[in-house]
Amino acid sequence: MLVLAIETSCDETSAAVLRAPGVPTAAPEVLSNVVLSQDEVHAPYGGVVPELASRQHIKSITPIVGEALDRAGIKLEAVDLYAVTQGPGLIGSLLVGLSFAKGLAYYHKKPLIGIDHLHGHLEAAFLEHPAIAYPVLGLLVSGGHTALYLMDGPLSYRLLGKTRDDAAGEALDKIAKFLGLGYPGGPVIEKLGRGGDPKAFRFAAPRTKDRSLDFSFSGLKTAALKVIRENGIAKDGPRLADFLASFEEVVARTLVDHVRAAADQVQPRSLVLCGGVARNSRLRTRFQRFAGESGLEAYVPPPKLCTDNAAMVGAVAVKRFARDPGMTTDLDLDAFAR
Ligand code: KG4
Ligand code: ZN
C-alpha cells in the first residue's frame, strides 16, 4: 500500500511517499520525503509571516508533490491513501495542503486521512525504530509547541504538560531576532554559540509556580533580554558566544528537567525527543545523558525528521489505516489552528 502525505502547517512545504509494511510491527518504508523550506522568505522579518507562508505554499505545492512522486518512482494513480496535516498550524497554510489533498483523493477516488501535526512529530522516532517499548514519554519541542506526552500504546497520545506562553523554539527565535542574528534562531544560536562557555551567564531555570509539568519560557526570554542589556551583548561583541551558549544551556536544562519530573511521575520504559529544536546538539546530548543515567532507552530522530516534514505525517496515517482500513474521503475535513 502506498501513501502520499502532505504537510503545509507552517513554513515548510513537504510531500512524502511511504510504503506501508507487510506486518504492523515493522516501519513503513519512506520512498521519498521532499521538504522545501521558506526560511529565506521569512528571514527579513525575523519570524513567519502567515500571509507570505500561504502564498508560498500555493506556489510550491504542485512541484513538491511532483518531486516526491518522481523520487519515489511512482505515478499518482498508484497512490492508495492520501494523508494531510489538518492542524494545528497557520490556517491559511494548512488550507493549501488540505485542499490539494482533498482534490487528489476525490479525483482518484481514494481515502484521505487528516493528521494532527503533533502526533506526526511524535511518530517520527518510530520511522527508524518501530518497536520502541511502551509506555513512551515524548518531549516535543518546536517553534510553535513545547509539550510532554505519554504514549501508552500505538496512536495513544496523552498530553502531560505544555507551554503556558512561548515555545522553546520561539524563545530561541526571539532572542536571535533581538540580537539581529537572523531566522530561524535555533540553528544560528547553536552555530554562533559553539565554543562559548555555557556557564558564563547564569539564568534561573524557569519552573511554573505550581510545579506542574507545564513549561513557561517567556520569563526566561525576559531574563535573557536583561542580561543582554546589562552586559552589552551584541552581534559582533566579544561575549556573544558565551551568552548564546549559556542561553542554549538553560533552555536544554529546563527541557530535560521537565522530562525528569515527568518520568518520575509516569515511569516510562522509553523516551522520545522530537520537533525542530530536537536538532540541537546540546539538547540531544543532555537528553541522552539523562536517559543513560535513568536506565531508559532514548530515541531521537535524525535531524531531517525533527523539523516539519511529510514523512512523519505519513507515519501516523499508516498506523491509522492499519487499525481502520475502512476509511473513506471526508470532503468536510476542516483545518484547525489549535
Ligand atoms: O518543528 P519545526 O520545524 O516547526 C514547528 O512546528 O514549529 O521547528 C522549528 C523550530 C524553530 O524555532 C527553530 O529555531 C528550531 O526549531 N530549530 C532549532 C535548531 N534547528 C531548528 N533550535 C535549536 N537548535 C537547532 N539546531
Ligand atoms: Zn512542527
Side-chain angles (χ1 to χ4, degrees):
M1 194 196 66
L2 293 171
V3 181
L4 175 67
I6 294 175
E7 152 68 41
T8 62
S9 67
C10 188
D11 61 340
E12 265 93 24
T13 317
S14 180
V17 178
L18 292 85
R19 192 195 308 278
V23 285
T25 45
E29 189 188 348
V30 179
L31 301 181
S32 64
N33 186 23
V34 183
V35 182
L36 181 65
S37 156
Q38 303 178 358
D39 284 352
E40 281 175 24
V41 174
H42 305 289
Y45 307 94
V48 178
V49 183
E51 182 58 27
L52 294 182
S54 33
R55 288 185 202 183
Q56 204 59 37
H57 284 307
I58 290 171
K59 282 191 195 153
S60 314
I61 187 86
T62 306
I64 291 301
V65 168
E67 177 80 22
L69 293 167
D70 285 351
R71 287 197 201 171
I74 67 154
K75 297 253 177 274
L76 263 183
E77 289 68 28
V79 172
D80 300 294
L81 171 70
Y82 290 91
V84 64
T85 302
Q86 198 181 350
L90 303 169
I91 286 294
S93 291
L94 288 163
L95 283 175
V96 177
L98 198 61
S99 313
F100 200 83
K102 275 185 195 175
L104 289 175
Y106 178 69
Y107 181 78
H108 292 281
K109 300 188 176 57
K110 292 289 159 63
L112 166 70
I113 317 186
I115 302 293
D116 186 311
H117 179 79
L118 305 179
H119 299 168
H121 273 303
L122 289 163
E123 287 294 334
F126 292 81
L127 276 170
E128 296 212 322
H129 301 280
I132 300 178
Y134 293 102
V136 178
L137 175 63
L139 171 65
L140 192 172
V141 243
S142 72
H145 305 272
T146 299
L148 280 162
Y149 287 86
L150 179 65
M151 291 172 269
D152 277 322
L155 299 173
S156 138
Y157 314 95
R158 181 151 69 86
L159 182 66
L160 299 175
K162 65 176 169 43
T163 184
R164 293 185 179 173
D165 38 64
D166 290 352
E170 195 178 352
L172 293 166
D173 292 341
K174 284 180 178 168
I175 290 300
K177 181 180 180 181
F178 186 80
L179 288 168
L181 303 178
Y183 173 84
V188 188
I189 290 180
E190 171 151 37
K191 187 166 148 235
L192 299 179
R194 212 163 279 150
D197 175 7
K199 294 200 175 84
F201 296 97
R202 290 276 173 189
F203 306 90
R207 201 68 209 272
T208 47
K209 287 204 183 66
D210 55 11
R211 315 293 285 172
S212 80
L213 293 174
D214 280 350
F215 301 83
S216 167
F217 283 99
S218 81
L220 184 60
K221 187 187 61 195
T222 311
L225 293 175
K226 191 160 171 260
V227 171
I228 291 174
R229 266 186 236 107
E230 285 173 358
N231 296 276
I233 307 295
K235 191 176 173 183
D236 303 313
R239 305 198 67 194
L240 183 71
D242 284 349
F243 169 78
L244 296 178
S246 303
F247 186 61
E248 199 184 68
E249 177 70 24
V250 70
V251 170
R253 183 154 50 88
T254 306
L255 292 167
V256 173
D257 282 349
H258 277 69
V259 174
R260 184 179 291 111
D264 281 348
Q265 278 184 29
V266 300
Q267 302 290 319
R269 284 180 67 195
S270 324
L271 302 175
V272 156
L273 175 64
C274 60
V277 182
R279 293 175 74 111
N280 186 269
S281 327
R282 194 183 297 273
L283 175 60
R284 291 168 90 93
T285 308
R286 300 281 177 282
F287 187 81
Q288 300 275 13
R289 188 186 298 161
F290 163 69
E293 287 161 6
S294 334
L296 296 166
E297 287 296 336
Y299 300 88
V300 188
K304 198 181 169 210
L305 291 175
C306 289
T307 24
D308 292 349
N309 68 91
M312 68 185 199
V313 174
V316 187
V318 167
K319 286 193 180 175
R320 292 257 304 272
F321 193 74
R323 178 178 285 185
D324 175 17
M327 46 184 50
T328 52
T329 304
D330 175 8
L331 292 178
D332 290 337
L333 205 66
D334 218 348
F336 61 88
R338 289 172 176 275

